[in-house]
Amino acid sequence: REAVIDGEIVVLDAKGISRFALLQDALAEGAGNKLHFYAFDLLHLDGWDLRKAPLGRRKALLSQLLSGLGANSAIQFSDHVEGDGQALYAQASEMGLEGVVSKRATAIYQSGRTKTWTKIKALKNGDFIIAGYTTSDAAEGLAALGLGEFEDGELHYRGKVGTGFDAATAADLLARLEPLRAGASAPEGVPREIMREMNWVRPLLSAHIHYANRTTDNALRHAVFRGLRDVGLSTPVSAKRKRLIAEADLATIWVTNPTRRLFGKTGPTKLDIAVYYALVGDFMLPHILGRPVSLVRCPTGKPQDCFFQRHAFTGMPSSVATFETTNSEGETKSYLSVEDAKGYLALAQFGVVEFHTWGTHRTRLDRPDLIVFDLDPGEGISWREVVEAAVHIRAELEAMGLMPFAKTSGGKGIHITVPVTQKQNWKKLHQATSAISSALATSAPDIFTTTMGKDNRKRRIFIDYHRNARGHTSAAPYSLRARTNLPASTPVSWSDLESIDAPEDLNYSSLPGLLATSGDPWANMEDFARDLPVL
């Protein structure tokens, strides 16, 4: 058949979105196999001039003409949506597309720019910290939100947003923000006139924002509120959960310099950390009691002063146990172990922010009972891609007869932890996890690598199995991480993992409240210990 088709040549990125820069690269390299022609109009068909026919009819004929082409064809039909243009535009903005073209369905074909079609550039989108709010009598409550963005550990002002929420949403936002005023301070770069009108809040909530662009001082133009970035946990509360932190233990909490802020002038205080560990203790202690621990201490609150503490230290609380064993170099060293709630709570005074545990208990030091596969994303890998990779690895491990559990790392990665029977020593365990990691990487070689080094991780996820060696540790369940806003390394169910948009939303402020109405997805995980497969 003979046809004259109107369309556009594009090159798609890994997410199926056309990028002009990729088209330029492909044309420069002569990589014609990367080109796709998206057909959106039909001018002539088998000698018939269709330019006077309405667009709707021309598109229907074009769809029929191209219906036999496969998904991998270089020519693709550019489909459309009729009506509900606002919803389509919002989705285009959310996906990071260039924009939306709208055409009259009854229009004839005319070359050049006409009034029968229009192109609207999509808005940019992003998540921003809610740093404050304003109120007004005219709005009968909340008038606008003050937005911020972390840059090098400090919160910087990024302007206001006063549209996108109805009366009910505004009332709900105000109810959630008012309790956060205590102890709040203004971010960097706030204009003087804004400083006078804004009610500052602690930077604990994030809003999803659509905006046109940024000003020269980085403030958002034409910002629209699209919703709060919320997180939830759904593990049922266990009736068997033991209370490990007693009222008497809480009475022993004591810290000097309780108002000292960590990681920036809007960061949490030393007392916030002590209170966090007290509130999550019933969940965290079952996973660390009796295990060798290493600590990350940040006594000054400045990131550059944080350090890793593996061995006993001067002034250490007497309630923290110590034991001696040989390290990998054959040297006898003194190591730490948390044996009760009193020792656990006492560590806040010493600037302890992170807990890291061995995959074994002190009483059976050379018979490990946990293995960890740390999924560490390289450059260009999104959180959603890490989640999809973790789900893939879960299926692979289950096919090997193992029972994997998921935990956010507190950073950009995911820790997949597997309980195992205590039949191997550390050397054999490390060899076995090396073989398993290689098999996992082979199952999806375009996604995973087991080779260290940043150059090997670009657009790939590193499976780190080296935590399964004697003396090596991984972040303990529910441990905070020493970085902006203190995210927590949080055990989650597999269904919850897939619903999390940003793992940093599980942090020192949000997690205690979430745990108050949910259970521990890692409770009794030792019941699921399995023998390691021989590969």
Side-chain angles (χ1 to χ4, degrees), residues 322-342:
T322 62
F323 66 96
E324 290 189 345
T325 188
T326 55
N327 61 19
S328 56
E329 284 78 37
E331 302 169 318
T332 299
K333 293 286 186 179
S334 179
Y335 291 86
L336 310 175
S337 177
V338 174
E339 300 293 333
D340 57 28
K342 186 177 180 181

Side-chain angles (χ1 to χ4, degrees), residues 345-360:
L345 294 173
L347 289 168
Q349 163 60 13
F350 294 85
V352 172
V353 177
E354 299 185 11
F355 290 78
H356 294 249
T357 55
W358 292 31
T360 190

Side-chain angles (χ1 to χ4, degrees), residues 323-459:
F323 66 96
E324 290 189 345
T325 188
T326 55
N327 61 19
S328 56
E329 284 78 37
E331 302 169 318
T332 299
K333 293 286 186 179
S334 179
Y335 291 86
L336 310 175
S337 177
V338 174
E339 300 293 333
D340 57 28
K342 186 177 180 181
Y344 164 76
L345 294 173
L347 289 168
Q349 163 60 13
F350 294 85
V352 172
V353 177
E354 299 185 11
F355 290 78
H356 294 249
T357 55
W358 292 31
T360 190
H361 285 80
R362 180 170 65 90
T363 54
R364 299 195 68 186
L365 203 59
D366 289 306
R367 291 295 171 181
D369 60 355
L370 292 175
I371 58 174
V372 177
F373 299 98
D374 179 1
L375 304 189
D376 188 1
E379 181 183 336
I381 298 291
S382 68
W383 165 251
R384 186 54 47 198
E385 289 173 298
V386 182
V387 171
E388 292 170 356
V391 172
H392 171 85
I393 283 186
R394 175 197 184 187
E396 294 291 322
L397 291 173
E398 287 178 342
M400 297 178 189
L402 300 173
M403 183 64 72
F405 291 76
K407 175 169 68 73
T408 64
S409 69
K412 298 179 180 179
I414 294 172
H415 293 168
I416 297 180
T417 302
V418 182
V420 295
T421 53
Q422 297 173 282
K423 295 182 179 180
Q424 285 97 350
N425 59 26
W426 285 108
K427 183 176 181 180
K428 290 182 178 179
L429 185 89
H430 190 254
Q431 291 172 343
T433 55
S434 172
I436 292 172
S437 297
S438 295
L440 294 173
T442 301
S443 71
D446 292 336
I447 299 174
F448 301 112
T449 180
T450 57
T451 306
M452 286 187 177
K454 287 187 177 181
D455 290 341
N456 298 308
R457 299 194 215 179
K458 289 182 179 178
R459 291 293 312 156

Side-chain angles (χ1 to χ4, degrees), residues 92-165:
S93 296
E94 195 63 33
M95 293 176 65
L97 304 182
E98 182 181 345
V100 171
V101 176
S102 302
K103 299 181 179 181
R104 293 191 183 278
T106 57
I108 63 172
Y109 185 89
Q110 294 175 282
S111 299
R113 195 67 181 259
T114 72
K115 293 183 178 181
T116 62
W117 66 274
T118 183
K119 181 177 180 179
I120 305 173
K121 190 174 180 62
L123 294 172
K124 301 178 186 298
N125 71 86
D127 294 336
F128 295 86
I129 298 292
I130 299 178
Y133 66 92
T134 62
T135 59
S136 73
D137 294 336
E140 298 182 342
L142 182 73
L145 300 174
L147 303 176
E149 188 175 40
F150 280 108
E151 185 178 315
D152 297 328
E154 289 288 358
L155 189 63
H156 290 254
Y157 184 70
R158 293 295 183 248
K160 295 192 298 183
V161 56
T163 61
F165 35 77

Side-chain angles (χ1 to χ4, degrees), residues 191-496:
R192 185 176 301 174
E193 65 275 12
I194 299 297
M195 188 70 79
R196 289 193 295 266
E197 67 174 1
M198 191 70 66
N199 300 293
W200 301 111
V201 298
R202 286 180 288 148
L204 303 177
L205 298 178
S206 295
H208 193 62
I209 304 295
H210 283 185
Y211 61 98
N213 49 40
R214 298 192 186 219
T215 64
T216 53
D217 57 356
N218 236 352
L220 307 185
R221 286 186 185 274
H222 308 302
V224 179
F225 176 82
R226 298 294 298 176
L228 279 180
R229 193 181 70 190
D230 259 340
V231 65
L233 300 177
S234 62
T235 301
V237 176
S238 172
K240 299 179 181 179
R241 191 169 80 202
K242 289 177 61 177
R243 183 75 191 274
L244 299 176
I245 304 288
E247 296 298 330
D249 295 320
L250 295 175
T252 67
I253 297 176
W254 174 80
V255 293
T256 56
N257 303 309
T259 59
R260 175 186 289 159
R261 293 197 179 275
L262 287 80
F263 314 120
K265 70 176 188 178
T266 60
T269 65
K270 187 177 179 181
L271 181 60
D272 286 332
I273 294 176
V275 170
Y276 168 83
Y277 279 119
L279 292 174
V280 304
D282 288 346
F283 291 84
M284 185 172 179
L285 281 171
H287 300 293
I288 68 171
L289 286 178
R291 293 185 183 274
V293 297
S294 296
L295 311 170
V296 173
R297 298 173 60 193
C298 303
T300 68
K302 298 177 180 178
Q304 62 269 28
D305 294 335
C306 296
F307 60 92
F308 210 69
Q309 183 88 53
R310 289 185 176 87
H311 310 296
F313 54 94
T314 303
M316 188 181 73
S318 58
S319 50
V320 175
T322 62
F323 66 96
E324 290 189 345
T325 188
T326 55
N327 61 19
S328 56
E329 284 78 37
E331 302 169 318
T332 299
K333 293 286 186 179
S334 179
Y335 291 86
L336 310 175
S337 177
V338 174
E339 300 293 333
D340 57 28
K342 186 177 180 181
Y344 164 76
L345 294 173
L347 289 168
Q349 163 60 13
F350 294 85
V352 172
V353 177
E354 299 185 11
F355 290 78
H356 294 249
T357 55
W358 292 31
T360 190
H361 285 80
R362 180 170 65 90
T363 54
R364 299 195 68 186
L365 203 59
D366 289 306
R367 291 295 171 181
D369 60 355
L370 292 175
I371 58 174
V372 177
F373 299 98
D374 179 1
L375 304 189
D376 188 1
E379 181 183 336
I381 298 291
S382 68
W383 165 251
R384 186 54 47 198
E385 289 173 298
V386 182
V387 171
E388 292 170 356
V391 172
H392 171 85
I393 283 186
R394 175 197 184 187
E396 294 291 322
L397 291 173
E398 287 178 342
M400 297 178 189
L402 300 173
M403 183 64 72
F405 291 76
K407 175 169 68 73
T408 64
S409 69
K412 298 179 180 179
I414 294 172
H415 293 168
I416 297 180
T417 302
V418 182
V420 295
T421 53
Q422 297 173 282
K423 295 182 179 180
Q424 285 97 350
N425 59 26
W426 285 108
K427 183 176 181 180
K428 290 182 178 179
L429 185 89
H430 190 254
Q431 291 172 343
T433 55
S434 172
I436 292 172
S437 297
S438 295
L440 294 173
T442 301
S443 71
D446 292 336
I447 299 174
F448 301 112
T449 180
T450 57
T451 306
M452 286 187 177
K454 287 187 177 181
D455 290 341
N456 298 308
R457 299 194 215 179
K458 289 182 179 178
R459 291 293 312 156
R460 296 169 88 189
I461 297 171
F462 174 54
I463 304 176
D464 184 358
Y465 61 88
H466 297 289
R467 300 176 187 276
N468 304 309
R470 192 180 194 278
H472 290 218
T473 61
S474 61
Y478 304 105
S479 172
L480 297 175
R481 305 307 301 270
R483 55 194 65 167
T484 300
N485 236 25
L486 293 181
S489 184
T490 309
V492 292
S493 68
W494 286 101
S495 59
D496 283 344

